[in-house]
Amino acid sequence: MQIRKNFPLLKNKISNKQIIYFDNSATTQKPQIVIDAVTDFYENKNSNVHRSINPLAEIATREYEAARIAVRKFINAKKNNEIIFTSGATDGLNLVANILGKGVLKKDDVIVLSMAEHHANIIPWLMLKEAIGIKLEYIQIQKNYRLDIGQVKRILNNKKVRVLSIQHASNVLGIINPIKDLINICKKNNIISIIDAAASIAHTKINVQSLDCDFLVFSGHKIFAPTGVGVLYGKEDLLNRLPAWKGGGDMIREVSFEGFSVAELPYKFEAGTPHIAGVIGLGRALEFLESMGFKYIKQQELILTRYFLKAISKLNFIDLVGPFNIQDRLPIFSFSVQGVHPHDIADLLGERGIITRAGHHCVQPLHDKLSLPATLRASLSFYNTTEEIDIFVKEIIKIHKMFI
Amino acid sequence: MNIYAQNILDHYKTPRNFGSISGAQIKHSEANYSCGDKLSVDIKLEADVVSDIKFKGTGCAISQAAMSILTEDVMGKTKKYILNLKFDYLQKLLGVPVSESRYKCAVLGLMTIQNALKMKGNKKN
Ligand SMILES: Cc1ncc(COP(=O)(O)O)c(C=O)c1O
């Protein structure tokens, strides 16, 4: 596969075994052009943005803002102003929860989440609950691991509901939620919609204008860009209406000892020196993806999903936590192996160069609900291969044999 | 040799001193919440010497096997001796190197037994 050659780490070995990287939901590997963009910035362009008047700062600022345009195009936002750079999905969710908490939410307002949310989309709301007394309601997951749409409609009809904050895809179950339908219900009921696209961004095209969501967040590192950089998309009128949250350099127009006035969008929400090299790397990663196209990515991932599900369906000691149905599903597979704790499997797979994750994947409430202390997760990307799945399955069978 | 040596797997599959002691003076449990390893221990002390110890638990092979091996080792030892045991002693008992990422699994059993012995109110027999 030609495209795989772009990812230097995938060529490495661990204990003399070719690396099989099945932990893409934790973070993805980086293509050479992203690594080069980061190196080039520090070697040739390093300076601060939006501050000094000098030729280096001018280059840095230009490239930083070019990345904003790349993001706008990538998610089809209307305006560059609607793209706020953050440190990641977690930072974006905290930012939006806090500005809503400061600007519009009141005691007893209801925030709706799903039962499968990542801690990053639960804890900021639990903090607001402690701070101002909002209430949380959770949409159930059905036996087929999908959302209960009947229940969604009932919940969202409650006049007290002000916000729906929900993941586009689950980083545990691998399901894709019908967010377009959910956002439509929100529109009818005057509910603010927030989409956590952290798990889906590398797998499926996002178009914020056709989704018509109010906010959307994702992390750069889950889409082949550096860690420590992410995006909050917000509709311009909402971002304009909401108060700033973090204070510092870049986010102000004027400061005196007595007060301040905030800068225009998007700087109003970008206090402090940002991760400039990371942002530039993100822009480059998105261009790399665009050049490959989501059609190709989908096609590859569908092949891998079919192959993986077929392979594990033959193993009667594996219990998949997620649908076997490939409709609206990503190549993210969490499961338990009867008689073997996930940590033991991950450890043994690691010795064979196979990188997976064991635990609750920062989604502990869902694991509690399913009465599972932990699962093993294999999360694939377009650069993985069916040969890698064959090796993975062979090793799982061997490990299971060791333990029975 | 890796941590899944025959000895560890053997203790995991057929744990020694597994069960409970009715009327034990000391009962205690601990857990690693992040991974779900759980251990509970019953200890009978006679003149500060462990005269019987039994445990129950669920979790990974390392946590369960380490506990099984420990219960065999501490049987007949004094409370003071057990409270002084450190991780390197456990590592020697296991006979295989424990990586940093599995430290919490390996040490849970020792922690459970030591915390059980430290509990208030179990001074007298
Ligand atoms: C669905 C979902 N939301 C949020 C996050 C948090 O992302 P980050 O840790 O990059 O901020 C993750 C990462 O695992 C995720 O999968």
Side-chain angles (χ1 to χ4, degrees), chain A residues 212-353:
Chain A
D212 205 17
C213 54
D214 294 312
F215 297 96
L216 181 137
V217 302
F218 65 89
S219 294
H221 71 96
K222 291 186 202 277
I223 187 163
F224 316 107
T227 55
V229 57
V231 170
L232 166 69
Y233 157 82
K235 280 189 180 156
E236 191 182 35
D237 59 326
L238 261 170
L239 289 176
N240 271 326
R241 283 205 330 259
L242 289 165
W245 177 46
K246 289 183 194 168
D250 288 336
M251 58 74 68
I252 31 77
R253 180 166 33 213
E254 233 183 341
V255 194
S256 69
F257 288 117
E258 280 74 41
F260 66 92
S261 58
V262 294
E264 298 290 308
L265 283 178
Y267 310 111
K268 171 179 165 184
F269 296 109
E270 290 181 5
T273 300
H275 183 3
I276 306 167
V279 165
I280 294 169
L282 173 60
R284 209 57 57 85
L286 299 184
E287 283 158 15
F288 173 78
L289 273 190
E290 294 277 24
S291 72
M292 203 162 50
F294 271 104
K295 198 169 154 220
Y296 171 79
I297 293 173
K298 283 242 159 216
Q299 191 188 319
Q300 284 309 108
E301 292 190 352
L302 194 63
I303 294 169
L304 295 170
T305 303
R306 275 216 180 89
Y307 198 87
F308 193 99
L309 289 173
K310 190 162 169 220
I312 63 160
S313 69
K314 291 184 193 139
L315 307 177
N316 59 8
F317 55 84
I318 282 187
D319 299 312
L320 181 70
V321 184
F324 269 98
N325 187 333
I326 56 161
Q327 205 79 43
D328 297 325
R329 193 195 205 300
L330 297 178
I332 300 171
F333 311 100
S334 301
F335 55 88
S336 42
V337 175
Q338 289 163 19
V340 198
H341 192 280
H343 278 188
D344 292 323
I345 311 172
D347 208 353
L348 285 162
L349 286 173
E351 286 175 10
R352 292 151 170 82

Side-chain angles (χ1 to χ4, degrees), chain A residues 25-26 87-91 93 118 120-121 167 169-171 196-199 219 221-222 357 361-362 377:
Chain A
S25 288
S87 74
T90 302
D91 192 29
L93 287 164
H118 189 276
N121 193 24
Q167 54 192 198
S170 162
N171 64 320
D196 172 5
S219 294
H221 71 96
K222 291 186 202 277
R357 179 165 173 187
H361 321 297
C362 300
R377 182 179 72 187

